[in-house]
């Protein structure tokens, strides 16, 4: 029997496409557009939707908010946590993962919010753990600049340790609801944690009832060695942008080795690789659509603004027709390295075109649903697992693209026995562990 793989979808609570031929208008703020999308993805048996988040309006490109607000790129972006409540209320099986930064939330508030959302979703909630990588975000939280990556992950390790202790403060049978004795909860089964670390201090207990999954599913996206260790130690799922089949395999093997080093079963961690398939009724049609997109001025400007936003490097100062100088960042170094192809001598324009799935594509997938499904199967076979995270180059959605995936690509994958055709378990963690 063919080994199946998992599917997730990566998006932001940002404007849907607003000025393309199949646009929906760019005002998804009451949540309806994304709630409808959640129902479509559940019909296609996705494991989860993951909503990204950042906490700033960037000025990294050209020291101005202009390009970001012009293209609605990384901003405006609304809070994903309330959207998660709406999406899970409209679905029954699919998981919803939202991003929350260890820099931004006091640990107690984060644990309480996660616990609440895990209840509202009946055990289908996941937390994408990020440490935040932009100075502009840090400056919204009273800091002059972002702490170094090392310090951010030291803080995040302690943070996750603390919230895990908070999730355990209510024993599974603490709620007794005993009409005879008049006790709702048994106080002997609810405990303080009296946590005193280097960075955080918290007494506990949580004032929320233990949640269906105990703790939400943990998702992470470590790219640096320190980030990969963090992910291998804590995560149930890891999302990544691989660099071709070789890069994907190397990344997954590396994560699995690190997990073993921490005494974990590597099969308990599912690695999802980002892809941005371009689909058409014929291969020629798909190729033409793809070429039109990557050669447009808009695509080039948006790609440069995006990489500037996640690296805090001003890409407006480099000529499009010259090679890039060597660069480093305290932000997303992995994204920068993949984009820049150091030593290749390619011009900046070539680099943008070659990163043609935006910065979120692990392999090129262009063709009919059947061709793309076959290729996805071959790639997974070589990589060894575990799933794909579908998105679009700008993370922006239109209904046509969603339907192309849910009613074209997924049925083709299902016909080949490559993905699930039904949900058999209740919680997100169980769904991800089913195979
Ligand atoms: C698919 C994917 C999604 C991510 N989503 C977010 C996000 O929503 N918010 C954020 O601040 N960082 C996000 N990141 C950045 C990661 O959390 C991480 O910082 C990055 O991959 C670099 O790894 P490092 O922290 O080990 O350097 C994402 C990364 C990837 C690959």
């Amino acid at each position: 029997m063919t080994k199946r793989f998992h599917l997730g979808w990566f998006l932001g609570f940002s404007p849907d496409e607003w000025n393309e031929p199949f646009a929906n208008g760019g005002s998804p703020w009451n949540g309806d557009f994304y709630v409808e999308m959640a129902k479509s993805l559940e019909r296609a048996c996705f494991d989860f939707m993951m909503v990204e988040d950042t906490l700033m309006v960037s000025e990294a490109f050209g020291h101005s908010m202009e390009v970001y607000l012009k293209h609605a790129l990384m901003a405006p972006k609304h809070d994903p946590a309330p959207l998660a409540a709406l999406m899970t209320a409209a679905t029954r099986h699919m998981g919803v993962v939202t991003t929350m930064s260890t820099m931004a939330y006091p640990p107690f508030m984060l644990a309480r919010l996660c616990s609440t959302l895990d209840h509202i979703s009946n055990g289908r909630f996941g937390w994408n753990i990020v440490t935040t990588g932009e100075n502009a975000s840090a400056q919204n939280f009273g800091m002059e600049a972002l702490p170094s990556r090392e310090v951010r992950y030291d803080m995040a390790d302690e943070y996750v340790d603390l919230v895990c202790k908070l999730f355990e403060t209510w024993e599974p049978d603490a709620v007794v609801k005993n009409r005879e004795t008049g006790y709702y909860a048994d106080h002997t089964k609810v405990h303080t944690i009296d946590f005193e670390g280097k960075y955080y201090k918290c007494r506990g207990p949580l004032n929320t009832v233990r949640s269906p999954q105990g703790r939400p599913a943990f998702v992470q996206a470590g790219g640096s060695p320190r980030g990969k260790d963090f992910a291998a130690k804590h995560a149930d799922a890891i999302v990544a942008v691989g660099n071709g089949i070789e890069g994907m395999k190397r990344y997954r093997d590396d994560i699995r080795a690190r997990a073993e080093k921490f005494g974990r079963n590597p099969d308990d961690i599912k690695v999802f690789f980002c892809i941005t398939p371009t689909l058409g009724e014929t291969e020629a049609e798909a190729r033409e659509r793809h070429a039109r997109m990557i050669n447009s001025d808009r695509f080039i400007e948006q790609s440069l603004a995006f990489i500037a936003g996640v690296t805090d490097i001003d890409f407006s100062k480099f000529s499009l027709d010259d090679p890039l100088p060597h660069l480093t960042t305290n932000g997303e170094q992995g994204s920068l390295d993949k984009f820049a192809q150091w030593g290749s001598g390619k011009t900046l324009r070539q680099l943008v075109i070659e990163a043609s799935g935006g910065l979120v594509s692990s392999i090129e997938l262009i063709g009919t649903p059947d061709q793309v499904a076959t290729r996805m199967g071959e790639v997974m076979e070589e990589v060894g697992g575990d799933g794909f995270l579908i998105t679009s180059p700008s993370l922006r959605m239109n209904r046509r693209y969603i339907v192309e995936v849910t009613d074209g690509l997924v049925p083709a994958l299902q016909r080949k026995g490559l993905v699930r055709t039904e949900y058999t378990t209740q919680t997100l963690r169980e769904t991800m562990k089913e195979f």
Side-chain angles (χ1 to χ4, degrees), residues 4 93 420 422-427 430-431 434-435:
R4 287 181 293 171
H93 305 287
R420 76 169 76 248
E422 61 176 346
Y423 296 97
T424 58
T425 54
Q426 172 57 38
T427 69
E430 286 166 346
T431 297
E434 190 194 337
F435 49 83

Side-chain angles (χ1 to χ4, degrees), residues 97-399:
V97 178
T98 72
T99 302
M100 289 178 272
S101 170
T102 53
M103 181 197 75
Y105 286 78
F108 186 91
M109 293 302 286
L110 178 125
R112 185 169 187 246
L113 181 55
C114 283
S115 174
T116 303
L117 284 168
D118 201 37
H119 277 287
I120 284 179
S121 63
N122 288 317
R124 292 181 288 133
F125 183 66
W127 170 32
N128 177 30
I129 310 174
V130 301
T131 61
T132 291
E134 315 89 17
N135 283 325
S137 297
Q139 286 158 4
N140 287 333
F141 293 85
M143 287 169 253
E144 288 299 313
L146 207 58
S148 71
R149 184 181 291 107
E150 278 300 311
V151 173
R152 295 204 305 271
Y153 277 115
D154 280 350
M155 293 177 77
D157 265 329
E158 190 179 304
Y159 190 109
V160 171
D161 187 24
L162 195 172
V163 296
C164 284
K165 290 194 163 81
L166 281 175
F167 290 131
E168 293 295 319
T169 51
W170 286 59
E171 290 182 30
D173 55 353
V175 174
V176 288
K177 290 191 281 189
N178 188 325
R179 279 173 177 266
E180 272 154 40
T181 61
Y183 275 71
Y184 181 84
D186 178 349
H187 64 288
T188 67
K189 295 188 170 169
V190 179
H191 311 283
T192 62
I193 57 170
D194 303 304
F195 188 95
E196 276 195 48
K198 186 168 166 197
Y199 303 102
Y200 302 101
K201 197 171 166 182
C202 180
R203 181 163 183 268
L206 269 186
N207 59 351
T208 50
V209 169
R210 186 187 184 87
S211 80
Q213 294 185 103
R215 62 167 178 79
F218 286 166
V219 180
Q220 219 271 335
S224 62
R226 185 70 178 80
K228 281 191 270 192
D229 263 351
F230 179 83
K233 208 188 295 177
H234 303 292
D236 299 297
I238 296 181
V239 293
V241 184
N243 205 350
I245 293 178
E246 271 302 300
M248 292 162 76
K249 185 164 167 36
R250 210 177 316 119
Y251 182 90
R252 181 170 179 270
D253 290 348
D254 186 11
I255 289 289
R256 291 173 67 83
R258 285 172 201 265
E260 263 178 29
K261 182 180 77 181
F262 293 118
R264 294 187 64 191
N265 176 355
D267 291 338
D268 288 347
I269 307 180
K270 304 299 179 196
V271 182
F272 287 74
F273 291 101
C274 287
I275 52 168
T276 60
T278 307
L279 300 161
E281 286 185 26
T282 63
E283 183 179 341
E285 182 194 308
R287 291 209 173 272
E288 198 205 314
R289 285 173 75 178
H290 186 256
R292 213 168 39 234
M293 175 188 74
I294 62 173
N295 288 300
S296 72
D297 289 346
R298 183 159 60 208
F299 181 77
I300 291 176
E301 189 171 66
Q302 286 189 12
S303 297
L304 292 178
F306 187 81
I307 185 96
V310 298
T311 58
D312 274 333
I313 294 170
D314 182 5
F315 275 78
S316 73
K317 66 185 184 200
F318 304 118
S319 154
L320 271 173
D321 296 306
D322 289 319
L324 266 187
H326 194 85
L327 303 165
T328 56
T329 173
N330 187 27
E332 291 193 25
Q333 184 70 44
S335 303
L336 179 62
D337 294 344
K338 175 169 190 271
F339 170 76
Q341 304 187 39
W342 305 119
S344 68
K346 290 178 185 164
T347 65
L348 183 53
R349 189 188 304 277
Q350 280 174 301
L351 294 178
V352 172
I353 289 174
E354 287 185 22
S356 63
L359 294 158
V360 281
S361 174
S362 306
I363 35 157
E364 186 177 275
L365 291 168
I366 306 170
T368 63
D370 224 45
Q371 286 172 324
V372 170
T374 301
R375 185 72 188 131
M376 286 168 71
E378 290 164 357
V379 170
M380 263 302 134
E381 178 87 27
E382 284 193 55
V383 173
D386 302 287
F388 288 108
L389 192 63
I390 298 183
T391 187
S392 76
S394 59
L395 306 189
R396 233 190 284 298
M397 303 300 148
N398 64 53
R399 289 201 177 98

Side-chain angles (χ1 to χ4, degrees), residues 13-14 16 24 26-36 78 82-83 86-87 399:
F13 191 3
S14 312
D16 46 283
N24 189 50
S27 298
W29 309 123
N30 66 6
D32 285 353
F33 179 85
Y34 290 116
V35 166
E36 201 185 289
H78 286 204
L83 182 65
L86 290 176
M87 291 194 298
R399 289 201 177 98

